[in-house]
Each structure stands twice: as structure tokens, then as C-alpha cells.
Amino acid sequence: MTLTEVVAGVLDVDPAEVTDESGPDDIPTWTSLRHLQLVVTLEEVYGLSFAFEEIRDVRSVGALRDVLRAKGTTAA
Amino acid sequence: MSTDLFALRTRWQAVTRRGPAPVLRIGLLASYTVDPLVPYLGLALHDAGLPATLTVGPFHQIVQQCLAEDGFPATVRPDVLLVAPRLEEAGAAGPAGAGWADELLAVAEAAVTAARRQGALLGYVLPAVPEARPCGAGDPMDAEGVTAAATAARERLRERLAADPGVLLVDAEEAVRAVGTRHAYHPALFRFAKIPYTEEVFAALGAATAGLLRRWYGAGCRALVLDGDTLTDPAPLLPALRELRAAGLRVAARAGADGWSTVADPELLPLLDGWVVDDRPPVAQLAEIAAELDLAPAHLVLLTTADPAAVTGPRDETTTDGGTTVTLGADPKAWGDELTAAGLTDRLPARRWTGGTRGESPAAGPAGLSLADFVSSLDVQVEYRPVTDAEVPQVAELVARAHDFALRPAPAAATLAGRTADLLAVRVRDRFGDYGTGGLVALTREPDRWTVDLFSLSCPVLGKGVEPAVLRELAHRAGTAGARELLVPWTDTGRNGSARRFLADLDLGTDPAVPVRAVRVDAAEPLGVAR
């Protein structure tokens, strides 16, 4: 499952709307609660865990992708 | 697990977009953020033929919302009020769990009262045993330990509620057990959003709650339909099928035109109350079986080893026939245990209302509690202190999250950093604990008038009387400084419902030192602009 598919699924948006620049400011459903669900889902799907700081600081799809790649996830 | 739960949540999104008209309204009140329960409970009810709208009320305000005449139950008017407190938010355990028991009995009485007032069924979630145990592995040896205190409190609650015919009891401890404690908690979820459990626990809790509601509304399993196309050798199932029949469940079978040999199995055939073997789609076959057994489709459970969609076709989320599926694994040796574990004969116990056996005294017990009594009993203490430059990121984060009680959209941290001299941090404590910095105020101080530019409170401190206490304190300070008015301009952000309701009908309890005037403005001026 790709990062875009997870983001679109959790935030309930069309995958075509999801870009690396997408974040809470331009996806209305990206609330603080959905942000956590997004992180938890990524942990579940990719079998990894985010640090508190990473959860707090990632504010875009691109930033999520960077964190996932830094953890060795190639599917992102 | 992970992708399965993700798939369920995605399906729930599809259901809410295109789903059928709801037949149930469910209101959820919890001492924590219970929103993650919604997709699992909603989907399980949808699949059971009980499509529902689910609305989550303000968190950590169960008693206040239940006691207030215009509280959440009165506003939502639910068919089912689901109330979920946790022991961790119930203050000190007290001797033999008496402190916890008293607090949660007060919650229970308030919830029972609110549910009866609305003609609703009350679903009460018995709290799980807290995971934080000071003695750790030594807790089982401590008669005053967490497990002992929690068990005593839970039994007091069960004793009060179990026999009440208007109450269903769900057990959060069972959900945690089902998942296992290693997978039941995620520290970040609680730290950032006060979500105490993982998605797995909410999924288990949703399934259990939906199962009870199905039975309450008469939509429990009455007949099991074997999928003869996939269960070509039913022999491993026969002992479990005999037990289910003995427990009152009816058994039928469906198969395609080539499946007669399965249905005609000499050991299976005597157990069948009906069968359909032909070329029609399975959905039509199930409808015929339901009619033949004089049951509704919601009463049937299909037993298969295949993806349910492959048997009955893709789900049409605009309708719900109510039938559910038990999918068995690949190993036939495990089928019997899997079928037994599916809980198809679970039922609600016969209950005779006794009113509880402890007979709480109206004077000492929670039954006569009013909202004012409850808020007064919280012993809320509010303190104010200046904000330093170093604290700005922390208070900015608080303001960014305080959607429900805010005067305006949250300003950027940089804006707050430029006004630290105008900021007051609000710290809140009550008998349940210390909430730390629970609010922020920004003031413009002019000789004749003080203006509240920012007044944000986090959810955990709402509903305790903090809102009027802060404005009374600001009015006092304004009066002491010689001002003659405290102005509170606010705008509708679309999410600040608590602030909107509070300010639209401002009641500070006692007369403030100077008049306090709340003024609704169409669009709040950016914070930092001089008035």
C-alpha cells in the first residue's frame, strides 16, 4: 500500500488530490485527530513507529515520506 | 490486523457517504476521546441491519452533559446513549476502590437519568483495569493495589447496573484482553489526543457493543447457513453444529448447482432445517432460506471460508440486508473452535430489576445530584500566570488544539510571541487532578476598557465552571486597573460550539466587578491589531 493510498484513505480524499505539498492547511479533513490516525495507520501498514517529535512536527505528505524513507520504508 | 482495520475504516467512510437512512441515533460520551470507536461500531451496526448515526459529545464531561437540561443527550436525543468512563479519570482509588466506585456510580446515575429522560437505552462501558500500577508485578499481592481497587469498583458498578432493564453493559476490560495489553495502548495517542487505546481495542469494543445492540433489537443470529461451495467437507464442523442446534440455532445450507454432494452428506443432512441448491445468486438463495425459516435476512449468518464478497457479491453500501458472515480459516481442524468462538448463541441474560442491592442513600449517594452540586464538588482551582518567551510554543500548541472553546481561529505562534506581555496562562486543578496549563488569554488593556483578544480553553478543563471563573477574574483585574468594561469579541469559527453557547448566553454566576460584554463579530480582526 502506498503512502498516497494511506493518506487518501485515512483523510477520505481522492488520491489525485494528494501531493507532497498536501498538509492540514489544504486538506480540510486533516484534523489533529486524523493526523494521529494517519500516523498510527502508517505505523500499522509499514510496521514501524514514529517518535513523539516526528508525530508533532510532520505537517505534510512530503514530510511523512521523508520520515518513512529515513526509517527504511521503500514503499513510501 | 493493520490493513484489515484500515479497510474497515475505509468502508465506514464509504457507508457514511452513501449509506442508507439511519434507524438508530447513538450518542457517545466518554471521559476520553472516543471518536475512534465510531467507524467500528457504525460499520458493525450497518452490517447488522441497524444503520446508525453516531455523534460524539464533549469528552471528560459525562456528568455535566447528562445533568444539564441542554446537555448532549438532550441535544442529540439518542436512541442509545453510550457512556464510557475510565478509572484513570475518576480521581483517587480510595480504600478498596471506594473512591473510584463513588465517582463512577455518580457517572452511572447521571447517565441513567439522562437516558431515561430521553427514552434512550443506556450502554455503559465498564472501565478497564488501569495499566499503570505502582507496584508493577507486585500489584496482585497488594490488597489495596490497582487491580484490587479496580475490580471492586467495577463490581459495584455491575451490581448497580446489570439488573437495570434499560441498561446494556459492555466491558472495556474484555476488549483490552481480546487485544492483549501489549497491543492495547499507544502512548502518542493519549499524549496528543487523549485517546487511551489502540484501534484494535476500539474495534473489539465496537464489535462487542454492536453485538449487544443486535440482540437488544432482536437482530441476533437465529440461523446459520453453510456455504456448500467452500465447505465441501463439513465433517470437522459437525460437533459444533450439533451444539449450536441444541442451543436453539437453526442450520441451513446453500450451494451452487454442483454442490448437492456437500448438502447431501449423510451426517450433515439430518442437522439441516432447510437448503437451497441451484444456479441462483447466493443473495437470492439466502432470501429464500430466510423466508422458508420464517426469519428476517438479518437473522442469518453465512458460514464460509471465502471472502464474503466472493460469495454474496460486492457490498452495496446504499442498502443493508443485515446478514453477517463468519469466515473460517484455511485449517479445517480449527473450524469447530472458530465457529464456537464466533459467539452465535450469545444472548442477553434474563434480568429482574432489583434497583441494586446497596441502596444508596439519596442524601449521600449520587442519585439526587444536580449539575451545580457536581461542579461545586469538583473543587476547581484556577491560577493565572504570565507567559514567558520560552513558553510560547507550548501555549501556541494548546491554542491550536482548543477548537471547541476559542474566540477566533487560532493565531500563529509568531503572533503570540509578539504579545507575551498581554498573555495569561490559565492553570486548572480539581479533585480529579492537575490539568496543567489548560487555557490562554490575551488582553488589550486600555484605560477605560479591557478587551479579551484571545480566550482559549482545552477540552479537559471545560464544563467545570472555568469559563465564567476566568471572565470574573479578568473583570476583577480590569476594575482594579480602573477600566469600566470588559469586552469579549468573538466570531463563529464553525468549530467553537462551546464558546459560542457560553458567550451567546453569558452567565457569570455572580455579578462581575465591571460589566462583561460579549459581542459577536462577523470576522475577528487578526490578533495583534491595536483597537
Side-chain angles (χ1 to χ4, degrees), chain A residues 9 12 36 41 43-44 52, chain B residues 2 9 13 17 186 191 193:
Chain A
D12 197 13
L36 280 171
T41 304
E43 289 182 337
E44 293 169 352
F52 284 141
Chain B
S2 54
R9 297 197 294 270
Q13 290 169 355
R17 273 196 301 270
H186 189 304
R191 173 168 169 171

Side-chain angles (χ1 to χ4, degrees), chain B residues 139-312:
Chain B
D139 193 68
M141 291 180 281
D142 186 356
E144 294 293 328
V146 172
T147 305
T151 302
R154 282 163 45 84
E155 291 314 308
R156 291 275 305 277
L157 277 167
R158 195 192 312 272
E159 186 180 34
R160 164 62 186 87
L161 295 171
D164 191 323
V167 178
L168 290 180
L169 281 182
V170 190
D171 195 345
E173 179 67 16
E174 288 293 318
V176 170
R177 273 188 61 199
V179 170
T181 52
R182 282 184 60 201
H183 301 288
Y185 306 102
H186 189 304
L189 289 175
F190 193 74
R191 173 168 169 171
F192 289 118
K194 297 290 181 280
I195 299 171
Y197 305 120
T198 56
E199 295 284 335
E200 291 101 312
V201 173
F202 284 111
L205 200 53
T209 307
L212 285 174
L213 289 173
R214 281 189 71 173
R215 286 158 180 84
W216 175 269
Y217 287 105
C221 174
R222 304 268 185 88
L224 185 64
V225 182
L226 276 67
D227 175 28
D229 292 342
T230 62
L231 300 167
T232 51
D233 178 12
L237 286 166
L238 294 175
L241 289 177
R242 291 190 184 101
E243 288 178 12
L244 291 171
R245 287 199 91 232
L249 206 65
R250 301 166 86 179
V251 179
R254 60 113 343 233
D258 298 332
W260 176 247
S261 59
T262 301
V263 175
D265 180 286
E267 290 198 78
L268 175 64
L269 201 56
L271 300 177
L272 296 181
D273 296 287
W275 58 83
V276 173
V277 179
D278 57 29
D279 283 332
R280 286 180 298 163
V283 170
Q285 295 177 323
L286 292 173
E288 182 177 318
I289 290 171
E292 189 178 325
L293 300 181
D294 197 19
L295 297 172
H299 293 136
L300 302 186
V301 169
L302 178 67
L303 188 64
T304 181
T305 61
D307 176 358
V311 181
T312 59

Side-chain angles (χ1 to χ4, degrees), chain A residues 1 5-13 31-34 36-37 39-41 43-46 49-53 55-56, chain B residues 1-3 5-6 9-10 13-14 16-17 33 35-36 39 186-189 191-195 199-200 397 401 403 495:
Chain A
M1 192 174 286
E5 288 170 333
V6 174
V7 170
V10 171
L11 302 180
D12 197 13
V13 295
T31 61
S32 53
L33 190 59
R34 289 283 182 94
L36 280 171
Q37 287 180 326
V39 169
V40 169
T41 304
E43 289 182 337
E44 293 169 352
V45 169
Y46 294 123
S49 60
F50 283 64
F52 284 141
E53 294 72 22
I55 294 172
R56 188 188 60 204
Chain B
M1 174 300 303
S2 54
T3 49
L5 296 186
F6 180 56
R9 297 197 294 270
T10 304
Q13 290 169 355
T16 53
R17 273 196 301 270
T33 304
D35 301 61
H186 189 304
L189 289 175
R191 173 168 169 171
F192 289 118
K194 297 290 181 280
I195 299 171
E199 295 284 335
E200 291 101 312
E397 191 174 325
R401 289 188 193 158
H403 302 293
R495 301 178 67 180

Side-chain angles (χ1 to χ4, degrees), chain B residues 360-527:
Chain B
E360 306 286 353
S361 151
L369 197 66
S370 71
L371 178 59
D373 291 338
F374 177 77
V375 172
S376 171
S377 76
L378 291 175
D379 189 23
V380 175
Q381 298 172 48
V382 186
E383 295 173 4
Y384 308 85
R385 60 177 176 75
V387 175
T388 65
D389 289 342
E391 292 171 317
V392 166
Q394 179 202 347
V395 295
E397 191 174 325
L398 181 151
V399 170
R401 289 188 193 158
H403 302 293
D404 206 33
F405 195 98
L407 302 183
R408 60 173 71 226
T415 305
L416 296 177
R419 292 195 56 176
T420 50
D422 302 328
L423 301 181
L424 276 179
V426 180
R427 178 177 177 171
V428 179
R429 280 178 289 189
D430 67 17
R431 63 184 165 91
F432 292 127
D434 187 342
Y435 301 93
T437 301
L440 187 73
V441 169
L443 294 163
T444 296
R445 301 177 179 92
E446 296 171 303
D448 285 349
R449 172 197 293 165
W450 281 23
T451 301
V452 183
D453 295 327
L454 183 82
F455 179 18
S456 295
L457 293 174
S458 65
C459 286
V461 305
L462 293 178
K464 301 172 183 292
V466 175
E467 304 92 321
V470 171
L471 289 189
R472 276 199 305 273
E473 172 66 17
L474 296 179
H476 171 73
R477 293 186 182 207
T480 303
R484 289 181 291 183
E485 180 185 46
L486 182 71
L487 185 65
V488 189
W490 61 279
T491 191
D492 185 349
T493 67
R495 301 178 67 180
N496 59 344
S498 290
R500 205 167 55 233
R501 288 187 290 277
F502 171 67
L503 294 166
D505 187 21
L506 195 57
D507 178 7
L508 299 184
T510 56
D511 286 340
V514 298
V516 177
R517 190 157 58 94
V519 180
R520 178 174 176 165
V521 293
D522 288 338
E525 295 169 2
L527 194 67

